[in-house]
């Protein structure tokens, strides 16, 4: 095996490096890590990826994640050797990412106020566990298996626990899911229960649950699969890879995501940085991150709404004191993230620094939308025959808002990511029962 892949601290002033087998999610000074590759993959691989769409019986070609395995080859295997793929790469029988690609949705385009030819929406909810998380879980659990982990660990109230539980069950390893005691409706964890995960209740809030899960992972031989894990980010790079491939590698002007823990923003930024560095793309799409109004940490800090300073990556010298003061302010005022779009109900985005790096590289923007707007976005996606959760509606109405503000131009090409499938049956029911909602279709009698 060649030593091509390694881990490196994201802070350019620190830059500590570790072998790829390292399982700490931070450097010893507490900074996040990146997976780095020494080799530059040749752009002739575009042809290989295209051919693999005819899978010829290989689940690793069928997989929307592993089809791009040369661009995330941290296992450093011979990617054409099927035995090596089978030995190392973890897959839900090729199903992760298999059904996700960008679509035109005419009713959504009309609502957004853009030509249907110019806007693409990519549903990630058709992944096996129902959200984009399966992209990154395939790679994180691959690394867990590579280092011999017997148990994966996460803090989650929904999509992450579902995905982790599903992969753990498939691989025959244990999975612990940490939640704040008494604060989570049991229904939100139904998939985790179904897949046999062990629920661990922690006194405190979600941040406390995450902290304890990280501590326990470190002290009791667990392997953390929250998005602070750099290998999660590797798998999530395939979301923009698939979008770009379906656009024949003609780079859109914008890629738009809902903003929660900012793992997607981080992975999209890393994917674009690598493709640009490798000479695969000449133009860099701008990333737009859409926060909920009730959980708007990134938008507040990025747009200078706290202390008047616009927080930036600043070439690796972000003002982390400003972030700390913002969190202190939230604590002091008793402000909790509050939105019905629970997938992005996050006050302290774990990947904020990687997210800022992505926004700086892509000249990105961040804005907020209301719960009622997200419900409209979710509902109009439904009218095109696609199912998505409320947080995904943020991408649709975020594009709409940025067009109305003339930040996105009407002739720009835009890809919006729909991160997950509907998991709360009552949200659309309640929406449609209320005749005042824009797209509602109340029952007749
Ligand atoms: Zn460091």
């Amino acid at each position: 095996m060649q030593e091509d892949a390694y881990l490196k601290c994201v802070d350019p002033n620190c830059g500590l490096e570790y072998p790829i087998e390292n399982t700490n999610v931070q450097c010893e000074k507490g900074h996040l890590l990146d997976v780095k590759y020494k080799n530059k993959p040749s752009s002739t691989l575009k042809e290989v990826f295209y051919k693999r769409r005819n899978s010829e019986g290989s689940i690793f070609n069928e997989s929307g994640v592993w089809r791009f395995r040369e661009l995330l080859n941290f296992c450093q295997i011979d990617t054409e050797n099927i035995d090596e793929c089978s030995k190392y790469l973890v897959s839900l029988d090729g199903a992760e990412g298999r059904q996700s690609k960008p679509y035109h949705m005419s009713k959504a385009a009309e609502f957004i106020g853009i030509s249907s030819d110019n806007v693409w929406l990519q549903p990630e909810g058709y992944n096996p566990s129902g959200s984009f998380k399966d992209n990154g879980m395939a790679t994180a659990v691959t690394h867990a298996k590579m280092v011999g982990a017997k148990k994966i660990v996460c803090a989650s109230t929904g999509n992450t626990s579902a995905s982790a539980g599903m992969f753990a069950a498939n691989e025959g390893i244990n999975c612990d899911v940490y939640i704040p005691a008494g604060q989570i409706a049991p229904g939100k964890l139904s998939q985790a229960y179904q897949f046999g995960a062990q629920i661990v209740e922690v006194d405190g809030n979600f941040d406390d649950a995450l902290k304890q899960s990280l501590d326990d992972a470190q002290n009791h031989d667990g392997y953390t699969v929250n998005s602070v894990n750099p290998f999660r980010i590797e798998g999530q790079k395939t979301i923009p890879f698939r979008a770009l491939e379906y656009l024949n590698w003609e780079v859109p002007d914008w890629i738009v995501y809902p903003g929660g823990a900012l793992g997607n923003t981080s992975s999209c930024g890393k994917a674009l940085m690598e493709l640009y560095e490798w000479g695969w793309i000449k133009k860099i799409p701008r990333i737009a991150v859409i926060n909920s109004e009730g959980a708007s940490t990134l938008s507040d800090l990025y747009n200078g709404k706290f202390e008047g300073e616009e927080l930036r990556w600043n070439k690796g010298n972000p003002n982390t004191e400003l972030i700390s003061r913002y969190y202190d302010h939230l604590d002091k005022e008793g402000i909790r993230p509050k939105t019905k779009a629970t997938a992005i109900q996050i006050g302290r985005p774990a990947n904020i620094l990687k997210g800022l790096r992505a926004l700086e590289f892509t000249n990105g923007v961040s804005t907020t939308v209301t719960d009622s707007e997200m419900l409209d976005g979710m509902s109009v996606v439904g009218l095109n025959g696609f199912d998505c959760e409320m947080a995904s509606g943020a991408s649709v109405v975020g594009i709409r808002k940025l067009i109305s503000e003339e930040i996105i131009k009407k002739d720009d090409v835009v890809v919006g990511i729909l991160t997950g499938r509907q998991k709360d049956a009552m949200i659309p029911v309640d929406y449609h029962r209320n005749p005042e909602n824009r797209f509602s279709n109340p029952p007749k009698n």
Side-chain angles (χ1 to χ4, degrees):
M1 268 191 194
Q2 66 222 10
E3 284 305 318
D4 174 47
Y6 60 103
L7 289 155
K8 186 175 167 90
C9 168
V10 298
D11 182 339
N13 304 311
C14 172
L16 284 166
E17 294 182 6
Y18 299 91
I20 203 71
E21 295 79 12
N22 169 68
T23 57
N24 292 328
V25 295
Q26 297 180 332
C27 83
E28 55 219 63
K29 293 182 188 162
H31 312 125
L32 292 178
L33 300 171
D34 272 331
V35 180
K36 300 287 277 183
Y37 305 97
K38 284 181 188 147
N39 292 337
K40 282 187 186 179
S42 158
S43 65
T44 56
L45 284 165
K46 287 176 184 173
E47 193 61 28
V48 174
F49 300 155
Y50 182 77
K51 283 190 184 141
R52 284 178 185 160
R53 281 156 70 176
N54 179 353
S55 67
E56 298 183 334
S58 161
I59 63 165
F60 305 105
N61 292 349
E62 217 172 297
S63 164
V65 172
W66 296 120
R67 193 151 58 79
F68 299 97
R69 51 193 177 269
E70 285 80 3
L71 308 191
L72 30 145
N73 190 14
F74 55 83
C75 293
Q76 302 170 92
I77 57 171
D78 174 355
T79 50
E80 292 293 0
N81 181 324
I82 208 73
D83 292 334
E84 282 200 24
C85 289
S86 302
K87 184 175 168 197
Y88 285 93
L89 308 182
V90 168
S91 173
L92 298 168
D93 205 31
E96 61 284 337
R98 183 168 63 199
Q99 292 198 64
S100 96
K101 60 174 185 172
Y103 292 89
H104 287 307
M105 298 189 194
S106 59
K107 287 177 185 155
E110 191 186 329
F111 170 57
I112 288 168
I114 190 170
S115 153
S116 186
D117 290 340
N118 284 5
V119 65
W120 301 82
L121 295 171
Q122 180 164 317
E124 289 294 327
Y126 297 126
N127 271 291
S129 80
S131 84
F132 75 94
K133 307 275 182 183
D134 294 346
N135 291 287
M137 205 59 73
T139 42
V141 178
T142 291
H143 187 250
K145 186 175 153 187
M146 179 178 151
V147 299
K150 299 279 180 283
K151 178 172 78 177
I152 60 173
V153 172
C154 66
S156 166
T157 63
N159 287 334
T160 302
S161 63
S163 183
M166 185 180 258
F167 273 93
N170 263 274
E171 288 303 307
I173 56 176
N174 294 321
C175 176
D176 287 356
V177 174
Y178 286 67
I179 60 163
Q183 292 180 30
I184 308 298
K188 288 183 67 182
L189 292 163
S190 65
Q191 285 177 291
Y193 279 112
Q194 169 74 2
F195 300 131
Q198 176 65 57
I199 308 297
V200 182
E201 295 183 324
V202 177
D203 285 329
N205 59 28
F206 183 79
D207 293 331
D208 300 319
L210 178 61
K211 187 173 177 303
Q212 192 174 328
S213 81
L214 293 170
D215 290 348
D216 284 5
Q218 193 136 43
N219 300 329
H220 303 287
D221 258 357
Y223 181 95
T224 295
V225 295
N226 281 97
S227 65
V228 288
N229 177 325
F231 297 92
R232 274 277 305 275
I233 302 295
E234 290 308 288
Q236 281 168 221
K237 293 191 309 192
T238 63
I239 297 171
F241 289 164
R242 288 192 295 272
L244 287 168
E245 189 190 46
Y246 277 89
L247 271 58
N248 293 316
W249 299 94
E250 281 174 25
V251 177
D253 298 292
W254 293 90
I255 302 179
V256 183
Y257 284 99
L262 301 176
N264 269 327
T265 309
S266 304
S267 57
C268 185
K270 185 170 189 279
L272 296 172
M273 284 190 274
E274 290 174 344
L275 292 175
Y276 189 77
E277 188 190 318
W278 297 336
W280 287 45
I281 57 172
K282 302 287 178 229
K283 179 180 123 183
I284 301 163
R286 300 176 72 183
I287 295 177
V289 182
I290 316 301
N291 276 157
S292 151
E293 247 180 29
S296 56
T297 298
L298 179 72
S299 176
D300 287 352
L301 289 169
Y302 195 70
N303 296 316
K305 290 183 183 163
F306 179 70
E307 294 186 4
E309 178 181 338
E310 293 181 350
L311 178 67
R312 289 293 180 275
W313 172 244
N314 193 21
K315 296 185 177 130
N317 298 288
N319 185 353
T320 50
E321 294 295 314
L322 186 72
I323 304 173
S324 303
R325 288 200 299 278
Y326 180 84
Y327 292 159
D328 288 346
H329 157 78
L330 295 185
D331 286 345
K332 217 172 98 198
E333 303 292 323
I335 302 169
R336 296 249 163 261
K338 194 171 182 335
T339 166
K340 273 171 76 185
T342 51
I344 54 172
Q345 184 176 247
I346 291 169
R348 294 171 186 243
N351 285 294
I352 189 164
L353 295 180
K354 285 184 176 178
L356 288 170
R357 182 178 65 173
L359 290 178
E360 184 152 296
F361 179 73
T362 65
N363 187 25
V365 302
S366 179
T367 191
T368 59
V369 292
T370 63
D371 275 17
S372 131
E373 289 173 314
M374 278 187 272
L375 287 168
D376 287 341
M378 174 197 87
S379 300
V380 78
V381 166
L383 297 180
N384 290 273
F386 288 89
D387 187 24
C388 74
E389 67 180 352
M390 184 171 163
S392 301
S395 291
V396 177
V397 285
I399 300 169
R400 186 172 191 262
K401 182 176 179 186
L402 292 168
I403 286 181
S404 75
E405 293 173 347
E406 298 183 348
I407 294 168
I408 296 181
K409 305 285 181 268
K410 284 203 168 193
D411 56 355
D412 283 349
V413 175
V414 188
V415 176
I417 307 299
L418 307 175
T419 38
R421 196 160 182 161
Q422 187 63 258
K423 293 184 178 178
D424 184 340
M426 286 317 289
I427 287 182
V429 174
D430 291 340
Y431 180 88
H432 282 281
R433 278 181 174 163
N434 181 349
E436 289 183 5
N437 286 325
R438 179 186 281 260
F439 298 107
S440 70
N441 188 8
K444 280 204 280 196
N445 50 24

